[in-house]
Amino acid sequence: KRVREESVVDTNHPRLAAALRGLAARLRDMGRREEALKRAQEAVELCRRFAATEPSDLAGSLLSLGAMLNDLGRREEAFASGQEAAHIYRELALSRPDPFRARLALSLNSLAIILNALGRKVEALALAEEAAELYRELMVSQPDLFQPGLAMLLNNLSPILKGLGKRKEALDKAQEAVVLYRELAAANPDAFLAQPCCLAQQSRKQA
């Protein structure tokens, strides 16, 4: 009976971990950050038990945990969690690039945001640029799928460049993000129409 119960847990743990991450996200949206953190920690603890066979689940849960910690101002802990997630995604992307390069890019972007908040701007820039370059490569073969992500990454890269005194490069990235969002808004106004206006205002501030 115990073997059967453990088998059920083995089968269902990815669903439970995903459900915990989803619950954490909803709690976060409602401003219940401490509760969100507890659920995110529970997801990570669960996924560590099965990391050898399901490393991507652990990486996703670590990324979620990092976001919750960052919300609470616990940035060093958030960085540690995000760094572990990025390491896992980097290893997975070496053997299976198609499903994991995008996740690696997003994890690097999250790390860059945390590092920038910690004042480690040079390190933040390196990761943000790597994330954007990964999405540029992905967009070559699947532009419809990856263009929104590239626009977002460029939008995040711009203030990091500005913080390092690279105002011209910051302006270039912000303007490129506007161009990408204009294209997306033309194709899907309901989803993207607000973005170019907001980004255009931001790009003027970079000047």
Side-chain angles (χ1 to χ4, degrees), residues 50-70:
F50 304 93
T53 56
E54 298 288 347
S56 64
D57 280 352
L58 175 58
S61 294
L62 285 164
L63 207 57
S64 175
L65 175 60
M68 307 302 166
L69 289 164
N70 193 46

Side-chain angles (χ1 to χ4, degrees), residues 25 35 44 62 83 85 92 171 180 184 187 193-194 197:
E35 294 174 79
V44 168
L62 285 164
Q83 189 175 43
L92 290 168
L171 177 62
L180 291 172
L184 291 164
L193 194 55
C197 297

